[in-house]
């Protein structure tokens, strides 16, 4: 009888399980823990995911899809409005260039704002913008021996042999 009870409980758990939880324009895996699935979202790392679970009064090791609707809504609300719940130094968009506000971007907004910032740097032709245009390293890395994008470096022996054969063949005629 005891072997049948866990079998009966598991289908009920699977029925209540939400396989996908939508936050910030992205679907999170509901079969993973709260902390792990939140950390897969762009703009939220493990430390921030732990803080979000703590602020929502949710166990960070609980399966995300098995939480109640109220708990899931609390986690979603805190994740989307993180700048209201954390100190300003913990946000990822401090003193925005256009608005001057401090916000925390999650999901696809992170990539969109990053592309927008890079395009702005290219348009005003700042040093970083010029480096982005050329496809070179931007953050001061060494470029003498790394970051080369032009095919082979050094002597191309096959090309020299072909040129020599063409020159020899041209002299005979």
């Amino acid at each position: 009888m005891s072997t049948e009870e866990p079998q009966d409980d598991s289908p009920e758990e699977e029925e209540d399980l939400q396989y996908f939880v939508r936050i910030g324009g992205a679907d999170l895996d509901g079969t993973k823990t709260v902390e792990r699935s939140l950390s897969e979202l762009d703009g939220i790392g493990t430390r921030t995911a732990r803080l979000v679970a703590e602020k929502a009064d949710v166990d960070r090791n609980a399966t995300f899809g098995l939480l109640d609707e109220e708990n899931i809504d609390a986690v979603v609300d805190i994740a989307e409005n993180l700048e209201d719940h954390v100190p300003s130094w913990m946000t990822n968009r401090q003193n925005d260039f256009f608005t001057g506000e401090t916000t925390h971007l999650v999901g696809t907004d992170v990539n969109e704002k990053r592309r927008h910032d890079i395009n702005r740097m290219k348009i005003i032709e700042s040093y970083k913008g010029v480096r982005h245009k050329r496809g070179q390293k931007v953050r001061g890395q060494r470029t003498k021996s790394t970051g080369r994008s032009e095919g082979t470096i050094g002597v191309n022996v096959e090309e020299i042999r072909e040129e020599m054969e063409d020159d020899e063949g041209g002299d005979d005629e």
Side-chain angles (χ1 to χ4, degrees), residues 149-162:
S149 58
E150 292 293 326
T152 57
I153 300 169
V155 179
N156 191 346
V157 178
E158 294 176 6
E159 206 173 288
I160 294 172
R161 286 184 185 158
E162 289 176 4

Side-chain angles (χ1 to χ4, degrees), residues 98-112:
F98 295 107
T99 63
E101 297 176 355
T102 298
T103 58
H104 190 89
L105 302 174
V106 293
T108 56
D109 295 337
V110 175
N111 297 329
E112 181 182 339

Side-chain angles (χ1 to χ4, degrees), residues 56-158:
D57 293 328
V58 174
D59 180 24
R60 64 187 174 99
N61 294 322
T63 305
F64 200 26
L66 291 177
L67 295 176
D68 298 336
E69 287 294 325
E70 297 169 2
N71 290 337
I72 291 176
D73 291 340
V75 170
V76 169
D77 181 51
I78 290 173
E80 289 179 347
N81 302 315
L82 200 60
E83 64 272 2
D84 299 334
H85 302 281
V86 297
S88 63
W89 58 264
M90 202 169 178
T91 59
N92 61 5
R93 187 103 181 140
Q94 299 167 2
N95 300 329
D96 186 38
F97 182 77
F98 295 107
T99 63
E101 297 176 355
T102 298
T103 58
H104 190 89
L105 302 174
V106 293
T108 56
D109 295 337
V110 175
N111 297 329
E112 181 182 339
K113 275 292 190 185
R114 183 169 182 264
R115 275 194 312 271
H116 187 278
D117 290 341
I118 290 172
N119 285 337
R120 183 174 46 83
M121 286 188 282
K122 287 179 183 178
I123 289 169
I124 64 174
E125 293 188 355
S126 66
Y127 179 77
K128 286 174 70 175
V130 171
R131 303 289 288 184
H132 274 293
K133 273 186 186 178
R134 293 181 183 169
Q136 295 175 329
K137 304 229 175 170
V138 176
R139 298 186 176 184
Q141 299 96 325
R142 293 178 179 265
T143 57
K144 181 176 181 180
S145 61
T146 62
R148 302 192 180 187
S149 58
E150 292 293 326
T152 57
I153 300 169
V155 179
N156 191 346
V157 178
E158 294 176 6

Side-chain angles (χ1 to χ4, degrees), residues 13 15-24 26-34 37-38 41 44 52-53 55-59 62-81:
E13 289 180 5
E15 291 174 5
D16 295 340
L17 180 69
Q18 286 186 6
Y19 288 98
F20 298 105
V21 178
R22 191 143 182 92
I23 296 178
D27 290 330
L28 300 182
D29 191 0
T31 60
K32 296 182 179 179
T33 63
V34 173
S37 59
L38 279 174
L41 184 63
I44 295 182
V52 167
K55 294 281 184 182
D57 293 328
V58 174
D59 180 24
T63 305
F64 200 26
L66 291 177
L67 295 176
D68 298 336
E69 287 294 325
E70 297 169 2
N71 290 337
I72 291 176
D73 291 340
V75 170
V76 169
D77 181 51
I78 290 173
E80 289 179 347
N81 302 315

